[in-house]
Amino acid sequence: MIKFLDLQKINNRFRDEMDKRIKDVLDSGWYLSGKWNEEFTKHFAEFCGVKHAVGVANGLDAINLIIRGFGFGAGDEIIVPANTYIATILAISENGCTPVLVEPDINTYNIDPEKIEEKITSRTKAIIVVHLYGQAVQMKKIWELAKKYNLKVIEDSAQAHGAMYDGKRVGNLGDAAAFSFYPGKNLGALGDAGGVTTNDTDLYKKIHTIANYGSDYKYHHIYKGVNSRLDEIQAGLLDVKLSHLDDDNNRRREIAKYYRENITNPKIILPKTYDEKAHVWHVFAVRCEDRDGLCKYLNEHNIQTNIHYPMPPHKQGAYAEWNNQTLPITEEIHRTIMSLPMSPVMTDDEVKYVVDTINKF
């Protein structure tokens, strides 16, 4: 069976380094907010090209804390792509803000910058861009709108560690960025973990404080905060894997290039990219009218697949008030999308087998 994502094989490559980090944390007796948090956040900020990074508990908390840090709340509207994973929207709702859904570009699956301005009102406070599947959003129009309407730009970079736009990495394309280090991400921990990057020193300090029970120093609380911290073991492991991230992303690009050049089945709609060298291919998502048939066929031929995502947020029970909305591009994507195996540990033979098999469907 060709696994969709072989996490054991991915992490075993770094086993010796990771064992040393775990031992170091155990021997130190310091398990939160210690040396490895300082090291990882310093290195991750440098990697993204920003001044500051904060380690938090998970990617949802990262988005939530950015919105809280900016002070957005009831009555405020935040623009968000309609086809994102629901976490992006949950963070908006959790802060009492109103999510305003914008359709994506059918070719790239990212938010369509040309559809944003018509959704901006006097209550709009921010645009959240989601660098979906590992491809950075085309930011030029986003920046123009943000300047024109005095809006904050928040990046959901949960799927795009290392991706680039206009010579900059994601995490440095807006006012603040949220990252998930969920195990399956391009940079994944061995449990839940997340982070925030920003060049705004005041925002950094506020988020850092809110995430630590609202405490700026021990037993002194200036905000009604939360407990959202990156533990030392996960920080140490992420620091190990960060040094290998560019190499892993390059391998993903090689696999994506082979897929795109050699999958010739006319039933398969391949993903499009603006820049081969800037995409990090968190997943390789294709579309097919007979998606379920294709998934079944590939499984029968020992190829695991996944669907990102089978149901759009506006059709979920959590947002029943939206269920009657019609968003045809989003719905078309969610009806036909599916993801092929993609990981830096796939062999050339495995990649070729996937291509040969899918071409016979």
Side-chain angles (χ1 to χ4, degrees):
M1 175 67 74
I2 296 177
K3 293 185 177 182
F4 177 74
L5 185 67
D6 192 336
L7 289 177
Q8 186 177 28
K9 190 174 180 182
I10 286 172
N11 290 311
N12 276 344
R13 298 173 299 159
F14 317 125
R15 182 66 179 263
D16 290 345
E17 293 175 88
M18 293 168 89
D19 283 347
K20 289 177 184 176
R21 291 292 170 90
I22 293 171
K23 183 178 185 301
D24 184 81
V25 174
L26 291 175
D27 289 346
S28 75
W30 193 286
Y31 308 128
L32 286 169
S33 305
K35 176 180 76 173
W36 289 117
N37 254 282
E38 291 180 10
E39 287 294 302
F40 171 66
T41 53
K42 174 189 173 186
H43 293 154
F44 192 64
E46 291 171 350
F47 177 82
C48 294
V50 296
K51 293 178 181 177
H52 307 291
V54 184
V56 300
N58 53 67
L60 174 58
D61 280 5
I63 308 170
N64 183 21
L65 286 161
I66 292 170
I67 295 171
R68 284 194 65 174
F70 282 130
F72 301 145
D76 294 334
E77 295 176 351
I78 298 178
I79 287 171
V80 63
N83 64 316
T84 185
Y85 181 56
I86 200 169
T88 321
I89 296 169
L90 289 173
I92 299 171
S93 299
E94 191 172 338
N95 282 279
C97 302
T98 301
V100 177
L101 305 181
V102 173
E103 289 262 64
D105 181 326
I106 191 66
N107 294 309
T108 65
Y109 311 127
N110 280 335
I111 193 168
D112 187 340
E114 300 303 322
K115 292 184 169 67
I116 293 175
E117 190 164 17
E118 65 191 49
K119 297 295 185 76
I120 295 174
T121 73
S122 60
R123 297 180 296 279
T124 306
K125 300 296 183 182
I127 302 168
I128 295 183
V129 296
V130 180
H131 306 301
L132 199 63
Y133 304 150
Q135 178 162 222
V137 172
Q138 294 293 286
M139 296 297 297
K140 185 173 183 292
K141 178 72 172 180
I142 308 292
W143 291 331
E144 290 171 356
L145 291 171
K147 184 176 181 180
K148 180 177 179 179
Y149 293 100
N150 192 29
L151 306 177
K152 296 296 185 183
V153 175
I154 300 169
E155 298 176 75
D156 180 340
S157 302
Q159 299 185 9
H161 315 70
M164 301 189 75
Y165 174 78
D166 195 29
K168 292 183 177 181
R169 294 194 196 265
V170 301
N172 190 22
L173 302 178
D175 295 285
F179 287 87
S180 168
F181 303 120
Y182 181 79
K185 304 299 185 183
N186 291 36
L187 179 62
L190 269 63
D192 270 322
V196 174
T197 58
T198 185
N199 287 308
D200 183 333
T201 300
D202 289 339
L203 180 67
Y204 159 74
K205 290 177 179 177
K206 189 173 182 181
I207 288 173
H208 196 281
T209 302
I210 293 172
N212 185 35
Y213 296 97
S215 174
D216 54 347
Y217 60 90
K218 196 169 185 178
Y219 302 132
H220 187 260
H221 305 268
I222 58 175
Y223 304 113
K224 296 175 182 177
V226 297
N227 175 19
S228 183
R229 295 176 293 193
L230 176 64
D231 73 69
E232 279 291 281
I233 288 178
Q234 300 300 346
L237 299 180
L238 286 166
D239 194 58
V240 168
K241 295 179 73 174
L242 178 61
S243 63
H244 301 277
L245 179 57
D246 280 337
D247 288 340
D248 279 359
N249 284 342
N250 284 333
R251 176 56 181 160
R252 288 173 180 270
R253 291 185 186 105
E254 290 175 357
I255 295 168
K257 187 173 189 291
Y258 190 88
Y259 278 162
R260 294 178 74 232
E261 290 180 352
N262 292 281
I263 293 175
T264 56
N265 189 326
K267 297 176 183 177
I268 309 302
I269 301 172
L270 295 170
K272 296 184 179 179
T273 177
Y274 303 110
D275 183 350
E276 291 275 2
K277 296 178 181 179
H279 201 315
V280 295
W281 301 102
H282 172 59
V283 298
F284 191 90
V286 302
R287 283 187 289 131
C288 179
E289 281 295 320
D290 185 15
R291 181 197 43 208
D292 293 344
L294 177 59
C295 289
K296 182 174 183 291
Y297 163 80
L298 291 174
N299 186 64
E300 289 170 349
H301 287 79
N302 297 312
I303 298 170
Q304 286 185 345
T305 60
N306 211 327
I307 299 174
H308 299 91
Y309 302 98
M311 184 184 294
H314 73 283
K315 296 298 183 184
Q316 300 282 356
Y319 291 98
E321 66 273 22
W322 294 345
N323 288 174
N324 291 328
Q325 279 194 45
T326 299
L327 296 166
I329 298 173
T330 294
E331 290 161 23
E332 171 70 10
I333 291 170
H334 286 260
R335 183 180 66 82
T336 58
I337 202 91
M338 55 95 63
S339 301
L340 301 181
M342 169 59 74
S343 87
V345 296
M346 286 183 73
T347 66
D348 289 346
D349 286 344
E350 287 175 329
V351 177
K352 185 176 185 301
Y353 178 73
V354 172
V355 171
D356 292 344
T357 305
I358 206 169
N359 280 340
K360 294 173 184 175
F361 174 68

